[in-house]
Structures are given as C-alpha cells and as structure tokens.
Amino acid sequence: MYIILSSLFLIIVTGLLYIYWFLKESHKFFDQYGIPYPKPHWFFGNVKDVVLWRKAIWFIYKDLYDQHASDRFVGVYTLHRPGVMVRDPELIKSILIKDFSHFRDRGFPLDKDAEPLAESLINMSGDEWKNLRIKLTSTFSSGKMKMMFPLLKRCAEGIQPALKKYMEEGQDFEAKDLAARYATDVIGSCAFGIDIDSLQNPESEFRTVGKTIFTLRWRAIVRGLFPKLPTSVIKYFKLHFFPVESCDYFLKLVRDMVKYREENNVTRGDFLDILIAMKNQKDLEKLKDQQDDADLAKFMAQIGQKTVKSDVEMTIELMAAQSFLFYIGGFEGASTTLMLLLFEMAQNPDIQTKLRQEIVSTLESNEGELTYDMMKKMPYLDMVLSEVWRRYPSGPILMRECTENYKIPGTDAVIKKGVPVVIPTMGLQMDKEYFEKPDEFYPEHFTEEAKRERHPFVYLPFGEGPRVCIAERFARMQVIVGAVYLLKDFFFELSPKTTVPLEFAPGGAVVVKGGVWVKCRTL
C-alpha cells in the first residue's frame, strides 16, 4: 500500500512539475521573435485579474497600453497563449487595411457542428468569410437604411409613452432597461419581421428569450479563455457560447417567418426581405440602390480582388445566423450607447440643453417630423454620440489573427502565423496624445478641425478596413433615432441610485455595476 501511495504521489508531483515547466517555457515565446513583453505570471500570464474576475479584459489592455507608451507593440500572454497588442496608429492601419491579407481573420471561428448559429459573418474566416461578405455587402447600404427607417422610427415612437409613465408615477428608472426594450423592438421589427412592443410589454417572449443570450455563463467564460477547444469537448461538456434553447428559438422563428412570407408573397422592406431575395436568387426592385455598387467596389478594392464571385447558398440556417448576429450587435451596442448617453447628459446639463435645442429646432423645420435625411442635419448630435463611443466603445478591443508570418515594418520583429493581434480601442481613445481632454466628456473632440488634425486610426468605434462592422450605418441610425425621441421632449437627471464614477463589471460586455438610474421631466 505504501508503495502504491508513494508511486501515486510521485506521478502527481511529476505531472504538476511538468505543467509548471510547460507554462514557464511557453512564456519564452516572444524572446525568439523580438517582441517586448511584460513579465507574465507563471500560470495566469498577463491576465490574472481577468481570470480571477476582478477586471474586464479591455481594462487589462488599457493598463498595458498606458504602461508601454514608448512601444509600438507589446507581447501579451493569456494564460500560456501568446498575443500581440498593437498601439501604433500607422501599424494599426497596416494591419487593418494595407496588409489585411495577413490579418483577415478574427481568430475566433465557431464550429457549426457545435454551435447552432455559428455561420454568422463575424465568426467566419478565409474564403468562407469573403464570399459571404461579398454577398451581404449591399445589405446595409444607405438605400436599404432609408427603406428600413419607417420601421425603426415606429419603434422609437414607443419611447415617449414609456417615459411619460415613469414621470407620472414619479419613478426613477434604469436607463439600460429602457434602451434595451427599444433595441429589442427595433431588432424584432427590422431583423425578424415581427412587432414586439416590449417598451409597453417588457415580458414578451422575444425579450425574455433574448435576455438569456446576455446572461453571464461560466461555459462562455471557458470558451473565451480557450477559444480553440475541440468540437467533441465542446459538445460533451456543453460549452456553447449561447444557450442552445435560445438559438433553437431564433432558428425556428426565422424558418417560420420565411415560410409565411414566401407562401403569402409578403414583404416589409426589412433585413429578412433582403435575405429572402438572396435565398431565391432574385433582385427585388425596391431593394435596388445606387450605393450597392459603390460599397461593393470599395470592398473589392480593399481585399485586392477584381472579379466578383460569391457562390454562397443562402440557406435557412445561414439566414438565421445573420439575423441572430444582427440581434446581438444591434441589441447590445445600441442599448449600451443610449444608456451611457443618458448618463453623460445627466452629468452635463449644459451639453444636454444645447443638444436638445438642436434636435427641437431641426424637427421644427419639418413640422416636428423626423425623416431619414434630417439625421445628417444635426451635427452636434453627431459630435455627442461620437464622444459617447470614444469614452465607452462598444468594442473596447479589436481582435485579429495573423494568417501568415508578418515582419513588422521597420523592425526585425515577427508576428507568427496563428498569433492573435489585439488593437486596444479604449487605450487609443483615452490617450491624451490624441484627445485634448480624454477623461472628460468633451464633444469638441469631434469638430471638423479636431478630426482633421488627429490620426484617423486612433478612433475606431466600429473597426476599419474590410472587416469593419458591416451594420455601422444601421447602428448609427438606430442610436440617432433613439436619442432624438429620448431628448426632444424630456430632460434627464441622475438618480441617487447611480454610483458616480461608474464602475464596470468584469466580463465580455460593457456592464455598469448597479446600472445607470435616471429620472426625467418635461421642459
């Protein structure tokens, strides 16, 4: 018995020593490629506070950004996995555009055998991504946005009755909840073709199922730390990014809506109409737009391809995956932006007053009616929203993966194939070298003069290059219309329930601890 226990002890100790040796050796990766890096913890690498649930990942990268002001790029270890953080704007430009062929993937592919709705554009890589991107390029042209505008505006009109109810009842309310209900209505109408009205009915099935997607799950955390787990392991331990039941709900919803529209020849002028037209290899006259050709030409030039070829078959599963991606991006990005807009307006009443005056005067020029073209006639609103995205970027870091060995221009350093590259958006956008008052809410950062004087690749709220957010036009439209209907008749103040300064929870999304609570009144 003693021999057995001794042997078992020896095996365990040997195993632990091997793991320790392996992790220590893996942290020497950058030595051979000429990339500077801060000393990593033998187990946690440089992300100890992320693993121990103390900080969000983007704050780790912001700290590294601030600590390495003299470096153009820095090596970072996530546990034992090496990655490169890039902080030089010219090098960022090269990675996102000039040398895009070396960095065309996001480095986070999802296996469709393991994830029900994995075939979304954001998760695809290589030629699969390129072919689908060509197919979807015209989906969010300005003409398509103009077509969807009435649907979106109808959703925004529900904001004011909800605000009046809060005011009449003397209630403080959580800004993210209100903004999320608006975003849910917009995505339900424009992406799935259904009227939700969660502004009046917060407990609708669509809203309830949607909430489960953004509920923090330990399985998703594991997947984030180990992005390339085998499909068999993912299935066995059920390490899905999103709850399978929720994905099945959205898949069935799209399948049923497509069947209904095709059988009854129904069109609404929404995202689903466009996908159905692609599925049936048919051009709808009312979906044609001059901007389509310009957008496609720009994309083809960026990827260095002259011949337009995309033989993607638009299946129900592929349609559902794009609609699901639309939901995730449109819901989280818009609701968080509008929440933080209300926070900053409540904190800065002079800015709020000036912005409201612009909104009201612009609407009065058209008898109080908001149109698609009027969105471009409110420059101060654009400055204010740009400043919200600067201080609180929806994508605080941008991820790419090196697909070919890349020698960093002007150096002997090499980024090896397969190594992830991180662009610290929050670090760049909070850098006093580029923004006059980085720690203040200062819309004047976005005057035309200020934008001309600043390097264009230090402000990247939607990314840049061929993998820029394809739905940027829609995201901006959704937030602008929401902001107009929030501010045109109401003035916002902070509730004592809101903790100032804001504290952000660890995790993958931009989550404010305790929420942003406000109260409103009419003027």
Side-chain angles (χ1 to χ4, degrees):
M1 185 67 176
Y2 173 78
I3 295 175
I4 294 174
L5 291 175
S6 298
S7 299
L8 182 62
F9 176 76
L10 184 61
I11 290 171
I12 292 172
V13 170
T14 302
L16 291 174
L17 287 174
Y18 174 78
I19 292 172
Y20 176 77
W21 173 85
F22 171 77
L23 292 173
K24 290 285 287 185
E25 286 299 305
S26 69
H27 289 162
K28 296 178 181 179
F29 177 86
F30 291 120
D31 293 338
Q32 57 189 313
Y33 298 112
I35 295 176
Y37 63 98
K39 183 179 179 181
H41 183 277
W42 72 270
F43 179 77
F44 297 106
N46 300 113
V47 295
K48 181 178 180 179
D49 286 340
V50 175
V51 179
L52 296 181
W53 212 242
R54 295 172 182 167
K55 279 187 176 182
I57 184 69
W58 56 84
F59 282 117
I60 297 295
Y61 280 106
K62 184 184 181 302
D63 291 343
L64 289 168
Y65 179 95
D66 293 339
Q67 292 161 13
H68 293 268
S70 60
D71 293 314
R72 296 173 61 206
F73 47 88
V74 180
V76 181
Y77 289 100
T78 301
L79 299 181
H80 70 280
R81 190 185 186 208
V84 177
M85 181 188 76
V86 179
R87 65 186 313 286
D88 173 59
E90 277 300 313
L91 182 53
I92 291 171
K93 181 179 179 180
S94 295
I95 287 170
L96 295 182
I97 296 183
K98 182 181 176 182
D99 298 320
F100 173 75
S101 61
H102 289 74
F103 302 94
R104 67 178 184 175
D105 296 342
R106 293 186 185 275
F108 217 85
L110 297 183
D111 190 334
K112 60 184 178 183
D113 291 331
E115 301 287 346
L117 296 176
E119 293 183 283
S120 66
L121 188 64
I122 196 171
N123 297 320
M124 288 182 170
S125 58
D127 288 342
E128 188 180 35
W129 163 78
K130 181 184 69 176
N131 291 334
L132 183 60
R133 180 64 167 76
I134 289 172
K135 188 100 172 176
L136 295 175
T137 292
S138 65
T139 304
F140 294 98
S141 66
S142 56
K144 305 295 194 307
M145 296 304 97
K146 196 168 186 177
M147 180 181 71
M148 293 186 202
F149 180 81
L151 297 174
L152 195 151
K153 180 183 168 187
R154 192 181 310 149
C155 295
E157 288 169 351
I159 291 175
Q160 294 197 301
L163 289 176
K164 287 178 181 177
K165 184 177 179 181
Y166 285 129
M167 189 181 68
E168 290 167 358
E169 295 176 357
Q171 291 184 24
D172 299 352
F173 64 93
E174 211 282 302
K176 178 66 177 284
D177 178 68
L178 178 71
R181 284 153 54 196
Y182 161 65
T184 299
D185 289 349
V186 170
I187 301 303
S189 180
C190 294
F192 293 90
I194 54 177
D195 295 322
I196 308 298
D197 197 19
S198 63
L199 279 165
Q200 306 306 318
N201 177 23
E203 303 306 318
S204 64
E205 183 183 21
F206 189 86
R207 172 86 173 111
T208 302
V209 173
K211 282 182 179 179
T212 65
I213 295 171
F214 298 100
T215 301
L216 192 62
R217 301 161 61 248
W218 68 267
R219 290 180 174 87
I221 297 171
V222 172
R223 289 293 302 282
L225 291 173
F226 303 98
K228 296 191 177 181
L229 288 172
T231 300
S232 57
V233 174
I234 295 170
K235 285 184 173 181
Y236 184 82
F237 292 102
K238 299 181 179 179
L239 299 174
H240 304 286
F241 258 113
F242 303 107
V244 175
E245 300 79 9
S246 300
C247 294
D248 289 343
Y249 169 86
F250 285 110
L251 180 58
K252 182 179 184 302
L253 179 60
V254 170
R255 182 180 288 115
D256 291 346
M257 291 303 301
V258 171
K259 181 180 179 182
Y260 174 79
R261 291 195 191 188
E262 289 183 332
E263 290 180 350
N264 296 278
N265 197 29
V266 173
T267 60
R268 293 179 79 244
D270 58 13
F271 182 64
L272 200 55
D273 271 358
I274 300 169
L275 295 181
I276 291 172
M278 292 178 178
K279 171 180 175 288
N280 297 325
Q281 297 183 339
K282 180 175 74 171
D283 289 328
L284 298 181
E285 286 298 321
K286 73 174 185 175
L287 299 184
K288 289 185 177 179
D289 174 29
Q290 291 181 349
Q291 187 67 42
D292 293 0
D293 293 337
D295 287 349
L296 183 58
K298 178 181 177 182
F299 177 72
M300 298 302 287
Q302 287 179 329
I303 63 173
Q305 183 172 319
K306 295 181 180 180
T307 304
V308 177
K309 181 182 179 182
S310 178
D311 54 0
V312 176
E313 180 185 357
M314 190 59 67
T315 63
I316 291 294
E317 291 74 18
L318 198 59
M319 295 167 72
Q322 309 325 306
S323 296
F324 186 64
L325 174 61
F326 198 163
Y327 182 95
I328 294 171
F331 173 88
E332 187 60 29
S335 58
T336 300
T337 299
L338 290 172
M339 169 188 71
L340 294 166
L341 170 69
L342 290 185
F343 171 76
E344 291 294 354
M345 293 304 92
Q347 283 279 88
N348 299 276
D350 292 345
I351 294 175
Q352 182 178 179
T353 298
K354 181 178 178 179
L355 176 56
R356 183 177 179 274
Q357 288 172 346
E358 179 186 73
I359 291 172
V360 171
S361 63
T362 303
L363 292 175
E364 286 177 347
S365 69
N366 193 46
E367 299 180 350
E369 189 69 21
L370 179 65
T371 65
Y372 178 82
D373 293 329
M374 287 171 65
M375 291 193 297
K376 298 179 181 179
K377 297 179 180 179
M378 292 179 278
Y380 193 65
L381 174 58
D382 182 71
M383 290 167 60
V384 168
L385 291 176
S386 295
E387 181 68 352
V388 173
W389 282 314
R390 181 194 71 82
R391 293 205 70 190
Y392 314 101
S394 299
I397 56 175
L398 300 178
M399 298 291 297
R400 297 291 185 269
E401 182 176 81
C402 186
T403 53
E404 300 176 41
N405 285 358
Y406 180 73
K407 185 174 181 293
I408 297 176
T411 75
D412 293 325
V414 175
I415 301 177
K416 286 287 288 182
K417 178 181 178 180
V419 170
V421 172
V422 178
I423 297 169
T425 313
M426 180 172 281
L428 290 161
Q429 294 179 184
M430 294 292 287
D431 192 332
K432 63 182 179 181
E433 181 179 348
Y434 309 122
F435 296 93
E436 182 182 351
K437 301 179 180 180
D439 298 320
E440 296 181 25
F441 189 82
Y442 188 63
E444 284 68 25
H445 284 138
F446 294 93
T447 62
E448 291 303 316
E449 181 182 2
K451 288 189 289 186
R452 282 194 303 270
E453 293 177 352
R454 186 166 56 237
H455 195 292
F457 281 77
V458 299
Y459 179 67
L460 301 165
F462 295 97
E464 190 51 85
R467 292 208 78 141
V468 69
C469 174
I470 192 174
E472 178 179 351
R473 288 192 182 105
F474 184 88
R476 289 182 179 277
M477 179 172 71
Q478 184 181 7
V479 171
I480 289 171
V481 175
V484 168
Y485 277 86
L486 283 167
L487 295 166
K488 72 187 188 75
D489 293 318
F490 294 90
F491 192 88
F492 294 89
E493 299 170 346
L494 277 187
S495 162
K497 295 179 183 179
T498 301
T499 301
V500 180
L502 299 179
E503 294 182 49
F504 293 91
V510 180
V511 178
V512 177
K513 288 183 179 180
V516 173
W517 291 81
V518 295
K519 48 190 175 182
C520 65
R521 58 183 172 85
T522 54
L523 292 175

